[in-house]
Amino acid sequence: MRKWVAVSLVAGGAMAAEAAPNKSLSAGEQPGAVTQEGQDEGYQLASATSLRPVARPAALQQAAVEQAAAEVSFKDWITEFKDRAGAQGISTPVLDSAFDGVRYDPDVIRRDRNQSEFTKTIWDYLDSAASDLRVKNGKAALRDQQARLDQIEAKYGVEKEIVVAIWGLESSFGTFRGKMDVIRSLATLAFDGRRGAFFEGQLIAALKILQAGDVAARKMTGSWAGAMGHTQFIPTSYLDYAVDFTGDGKRDIWSDNPADALASTAAYLKQFGWVKGQPWGVEVTLPKGFDYTLADRDIEKSPSDWAALGIKGHDGRTVKDHGPASILLPAGSEGAAFMIFHNFAVLERYNTADAYVIGVGHLADRIMGGSPIKANWPRGDRALTLSEREEMQERLTSAGFDTDGIDGKIGPKTIGAVRAYQVANGLTPDGYASLHLLQRLR
């Protein structure tokens, strides 16, 4: 269930994980679409006012020549791919139907190339993910699907509010499911080669879905990168986890009826160990003098043990014992702090970015009547660009704080390197990869 949506969200210290779980629904490292109710699908749109020079006639002519060449090569690639697909059991009629009229799509490649250029801070992301309008629409969606969601919760043991929150972030409760031809998009990406093997695997999975009869080729629509339906399943995850909740013989996540998609989302979370009754996390307050090196996903303590160190809920009470928990500081010492539990890691299977998981969890809490996040955020900060994130990794590594590669992803290894640098230089060791820290490294 999750997309491989197009945009990297780097929330300062919020991680877009450096290694996605094996069964993650994400094809990228960014949080989900968080469609602005009635506006854009995701954060993949640049400003309407661009400083880039307008393409000149010669450049346009060259682009046309390159596209024409790509289309010829694409046709040849399809011919070769059909042989490989046939060897994996895809029938000739299915292949012919699937590729009927399919052409190379340069717009898909443009989106793939640009997906790491645009960034959002975690607070900007959460402002949209759990906006008053989204909460209102989430409550309405919950009421509208109440009976069905109660059945899904009873069967899979996943709270209906979590399912609705994922639905809200992935497709604005079904209003932005994606209209692009999945076969065309996946074939274009597989042909392109940047992640060719991955997308060819997804294309084979999509063809298996067609062969099973769950949907017709031209009705298999989704995002530019092939995520499908109300809760944005990629094809391999669909094959492994989608369910026929309505009992009509099809696992239909594309139609206006969201039943199969919502049940499939719950089935997915159950498969990865969702614990009913356990929160994803709880916002907490930290005591003065808190040892920020303890804010580490690898360090787990019971809520009572954290309370002994001065960490409590905003009501001043010890957080209920929901099991081992870690302390998460997605924007460092100047932002909100969360005590996170096992279900946080389960949600990461849907999308590995901390901002996405917090967005889902917090939206679900708000739909249940919970309050907004109480702590302030360092709103004067901005997110680092891709080149700045890479520069930070390079400078940390050069200074002896290994980030385990230069990829522009602020994940656990990079956060650990940031924290080690902060300790060595007498700074607050909160692991927050900020612009201020980069300027200091320079």
Side-chain angles (χ1 to χ4, degrees):
M1 304 152 326
R2 240 300 288 153
K3 43 184 46 167
W4 31 46
V5 191
V7 187
S8 173
L9 179 149
V10 178
M15 341 170 193
E18 290 170 309
N22 291 335
K23 290 295 185 180
S24 172
L25 293 179
S26 303
E29 296 77 25
Q30 66 296 320
V34 185
T35 50
Q36 309 252 1
E37 310 287 321
Q39 297 181 28
D40 58 273
E41 182 180 1
Y43 287 125
Q44 45 203 29
L45 300 182
S47 169
T49 302
S50 175
L51 297 179
R52 296 177 181 174
V54 177
R56 299 181 183 276
L60 292 174
Q61 183 177 12
Q62 178 63 26
V65 170
E66 291 175 355
Q67 181 171 336
E71 288 177 353
V72 171
S73 297
F74 183 61
K75 290 180 181 179
D76 293 338
W77 180 87
I78 288 177
T79 299
E80 296 172 358
F81 169 78
K82 284 183 175 180
D83 290 337
R84 296 194 296 274
Q88 295 189 52
I90 307 300
S91 71
T92 298
V94 168
L95 287 167
D96 290 344
S97 173
F99 285 97
D100 182 28
V102 168
R103 298 180 59 189
Y104 176 77
D105 190 343
D107 185 56
V108 166
I109 301 304
R110 177 186 61 79
R111 295 192 186 196
D112 183 56
R113 291 292 183 269
N114 291 338
Q115 68 170 325
S116 295
E117 293 182 6
F118 306 103
T119 59
K120 283 279 184 180
T121 60
I122 186 170
W123 45 92
D124 285 337
Y125 180 85
L126 293 176
D127 285 347
S128 174
S131 67
D132 289 343
L133 179 57
R134 195 177 300 278
V135 172
K136 177 182 177 181
N137 289 346
K139 290 179 177 179
L142 184 62
R143 289 193 300 270
D144 184 56
Q145 301 291 328
Q146 182 78 47
R148 182 175 289 135
L149 285 164
D150 284 344
Q151 293 171 349
I152 290 172
E153 181 174 331
K155 182 171 183 177
Y156 296 104
V158 178
E159 284 82 355
K160 52 185 172 291
E161 292 85 1
I162 284 289
V163 174
V164 169
I166 291 174
W167 188 23
L169 264 63
E170 294 298 349
S171 69
S172 280
F173 312 105
T175 59
F176 292 93
R177 283 168 267 167
K179 298 180 179 180
M180 300 188 74
D181 187 302
V182 167
I183 297 298
R184 180 180 184 183
S185 295
L186 292 178
T188 297
L189 290 163
F191 160 76
D192 177 63
R194 189 174 77 87
R195 288 186 287 166
F198 173 81
F199 283 112
E200 182 162 321
Q202 295 302 322
L203 181 55
I204 291 290
L207 292 168
K208 289 180 178 179
I209 295 169
L210 296 180
Q211 189 156 278
D214 283 304
V215 65
R218 301 289 77 85
K219 290 186 177 181
M220 181 185 275
T221 55
S223 74
W224 66 267
M228 309 176 298
H230 288 264
T231 53
Q232 296 288 276
F233 271 65
I234 62 176
T236 50
S237 293
Y238 175 96
L239 289 178
D240 289 341
Y241 305 109
V243 298
D244 172 20
F245 191 74
T246 62
D248 65 355
K250 296 181 179 181
R251 298 179 291 174
D252 183 6
I253 64 174
W254 298 272
S255 71
D256 291 339
N257 183 347
D260 285 356
L262 298 179
S264 296
T265 297
Y268 181 91
L269 296 178
K270 177 184 178 181
Q271 175 67 29
F272 288 103
W274 184 267
V275 178
K276 187 175 183 182
Q278 181 189 78
W280 63 275
V282 176
E283 188 184 3
V284 294
T285 58
L286 305 180
K288 292 182 179 180
F290 175 68
D291 179 1
Y292 283 94
T293 63
L294 296 176
D296 188 317
R297 291 289 296 276
D298 291 332
I299 297 175
E300 293 186 331
K301 299 178 184 293
S302 68
S304 59
D305 286 340
W306 285 120
L309 295 174
I311 299 176
K312 297 183 179 181
H314 272 279
D315 59 3
R317 299 178 180 178
T318 299
V319 175
K320 291 183 179 180
D321 187 3
H322 298 289
S326 299
I327 303 301
L328 178 68
L329 306 175
S333 60
E334 300 301 316
F338 300 94
M339 185 181 296
I340 59 173
F341 298 90
H342 166 75
N343 280 346
F344 188 98
V346 177
L347 287 173
E348 282 183 310
R349 291 287 186 167
Y350 219 93
N351 185 309
T352 59
D354 285 354
Y356 177 85
V357 176
I358 296 170
V360 166
H362 184 52
L363 177 58
D365 290 344
R366 294 290 309 281
I367 290 172
M368 283 189 277
S371 62
I373 291 171
K374 293 182 171 59
N376 294 320
W377 297 103
R379 291 183 180 270
D381 290 358
R382 67 164 174 81
L384 299 177
T385 65
L386 174 61
S387 61
E388 287 172 337
R389 300 194 303 271
E390 292 174 338
E391 180 189 353
M392 176 175 285
Q393 290 174 323
E394 290 171 353
R395 291 183 179 277
L396 284 168
T397 300
S398 296
F401 304 95
D402 186 19
T403 61
D404 196 27
I406 311 299
D407 58 7
K409 302 171 187 175
I410 307 300
K413 296 292 186 182
T414 299
I415 289 175
V418 167
R419 182 176 281 116
Y421 172 83
Q422 290 169 327
V423 169
N425 289 273
L427 306 174
T428 300
D430 58 9
Y432 182 38
S434 65
L435 179 60
H436 177 73
L437 184 74
L438 176 59
Q439 291 169 338
R440 183 183 177 98
L441 281 163
R442 288 170 175 165

